[in-house]
Amino acid sequence: MSGLHLSHGRFVLRLPAVSGAVRLRLVLVWCVLAVIVSLAFGLTLAIGSGDYTAPVSALWGAGDDPAAVFVVQELRLPRAVVALLAGAAFGLSGAIFQAATRNPLASPDVLGITQGAGTAVTAGVVLGLGAPSGLGPQSLGLGGALLSGLLIYVLAWNRGTTGYRIVLVGIGVSWICVSLTSYLLSRAEQYQAQKALGWLVGNLNERGWLHAQPLAWALAVLVPLTLLLARQQRALHLGDEVATGLGMRVQPARMALLMCGAALAAFATAAAGPILFVALAAPQIAQRLARTAAPPLTAAALTGSTLVLISDLISQRLLTDSVLPVGVVTGVLGAPFLLWQLARTTR
């Protein structure tokens, strides 16, 4: 007899024979985060920077004010979309790294992924590497982040990889990239240094559809792939021995997950710059809200979008005469979180 039966958070579908578990608290967290993201997105479109307030209805061309339609559709909407997508990518990437390495401090901006992107962009600006081939900051940042992620995995390999080795190697690669970036900036002209620093801090100013479209296509491919790997992610969080006992091939699964996480961070960094602490904080906040054993992937993505959208709103409204880079705000908010996380991990 066909039918859907619910009992204690579990569902059973007779035809076809499918069963699973529904975490009611996690569903509630999804709903709350979705509402917050929607409100923050709407506020970004409505008030943005400056003193000009536009109705959100201008998003679909409603109203008699063409200026409001232009401001919302051409100026504020692309920036808000980049913030939404980049936050989701960073949050999802952080959840992957933290689960695969079993370390709450593992994230792309701690392991050197975003630092690799920063080094590539700085080299392109200072040395003119991108000019002959026509590569812009987006392409350079994407290539640098992916190369950094691949280098970390190769250096951490010793008849397999472990989360501990990946974290240690990642921190080393991170500081190498930071040193190279500092050296390049010391050689740069003033205008080159200003251009590079404007990207290195994480910035949504002057972001348009050219930045949003590659990130949207990347998420369309990487998010379903990551969700398909969710079972391996949960198994790896239990430890390599348990995962092997469950019949999983640990090394291929870890490599697939880490490559997905590195690619998500790479595309987000290429679009918005290395926005600090989002990938570190979003998975931990989502895990505590949902009370799960490992960072929940979709909730971490929604939390990342929430953090970036709210931080961008603060950056636009905090000062009246200028717009702060969003990375400054996330850095100020994320530094105390990192200190708290370090103290908690030490205990």
Side-chain angles (χ1 to χ4, degrees):
M1 183 177 180
S2 63
L4 176 65
H5 300 271
L6 292 171
S7 177
H8 301 291
R10 295 184 176 272
F11 68 90
V12 178
L13 186 63
R14 304 268 183 206
L15 291 176
V18 178
S19 64
V22 178
R23 296 180 181 273
L24 299 180
R25 185 182 180 89
L26 183 56
V27 173
L28 178 61
V29 170
W30 287 340
C31 295
V32 172
L33 289 173
V35 171
I36 296 174
V37 167
S38 301
L39 291 174
F41 190 86
L43 284 173
T44 301
L45 296 180
I47 61 177
S49 60
D51 298 326
Y52 188 81
T53 302
V56 180
S57 59
L59 178 61
W60 49 88
D64 300 326
D65 188 359
V69 175
F70 173 78
V71 168
V72 171
Q73 293 185 354
E74 301 298 329
L75 299 180
R76 293 178 180 173
L77 180 59
R79 179 190 183 109
V81 170
V82 172
L84 175 73
L85 298 180
F90 278 126
L92 188 56
S93 175
I96 292 172
F97 275 100
Q98 290 177 14
T101 61
R102 301 181 67 196
N103 192 322
L105 298 177
S107 70
D109 44 4
V110 173
L111 299 184
I113 307 296
T114 56
Q115 286 82 355
T119 301
V121 171
T122 306
V125 172
V126 176
L127 305 178
L129 299 180
S133 57
L135 296 176
Q138 273 192 285
S139 302
L140 289 169
L142 177 61
L146 291 176
L147 182 61
S148 179
L150 182 60
L151 179 63
I152 291 168
Y153 195 86
V154 170
L155 293 178
W157 182 271
N158 183 16
R159 290 179 295 179
T161 60
T162 62
Y164 182 73
R165 286 180 60 85
I166 289 172
V167 171
L168 288 180
V169 172
I171 292 173
V173 170
S174 172
W175 281 106
I176 291 174
C177 293
V178 169
S179 300
L180 287 174
T181 302
S182 301
Y183 170 72
L184 290 169
L185 288 175
S186 69
R187 290 189 52 186
E189 301 290 340
Q190 184 175 357
Y191 74 94
Q192 292 175 329
Q194 289 177 344
K195 182 178 179 181
L197 287 172
W199 188 90
L200 286 171
V201 74
N203 206 335
L204 293 173
N205 297 335
E206 300 179 358
R207 291 304 185 264
W209 293 117
L210 290 176
H211 301 86
Q213 288 173 356
L215 180 55
W217 282 112
L219 286 173
V221 174
L222 292 171
V223 170
L225 182 59
T226 301
L227 294 179
L228 287 175
L229 295 171
R231 180 176 177 274
Q232 285 84 345
Q233 179 248 4
R234 290 192 295 268
L236 285 175
H237 189 73
L238 298 174
D240 290 3
E241 293 81 5
V242 176
T244 302
L246 293 173
M248 191 182 74
R249 298 175 63 192
V250 170
Q251 297 306 326
R254 179 177 284 121
M255 182 175 184
L257 281 166
L258 292 180
M259 288 300 103
C260 284
L264 285 165
F267 278 98
T269 304
I275 303 177
L276 296 177
F277 292 115
V278 176
L280 174 69
Q284 292 300 306
I285 294 173
Q287 184 177 356
R288 280 158 179 74
L289 290 175
R291 294 181 183 175
T292 54
L297 296 178
T298 49
L302 286 172
T303 305
S305 295
T306 302
L307 292 177
V308 176
L309 282 168
I310 292 177
S311 297
D312 185 42
L313 197 59
I314 294 172
S315 71
Q316 294 184 70
R317 305 298 299 181
L318 186 62
L319 299 177
T320 57
D321 56 343
S322 63
V323 178
L324 288 174
V326 67
V328 174
V329 178
T330 59
V332 170
L333 297 177
F337 180 85
L338 176 61
L339 293 175
W340 174 78
Q341 190 77 334
L342 284 169
R344 182 176 178 274
T345 304
T346 301
R347 286 199 301 269

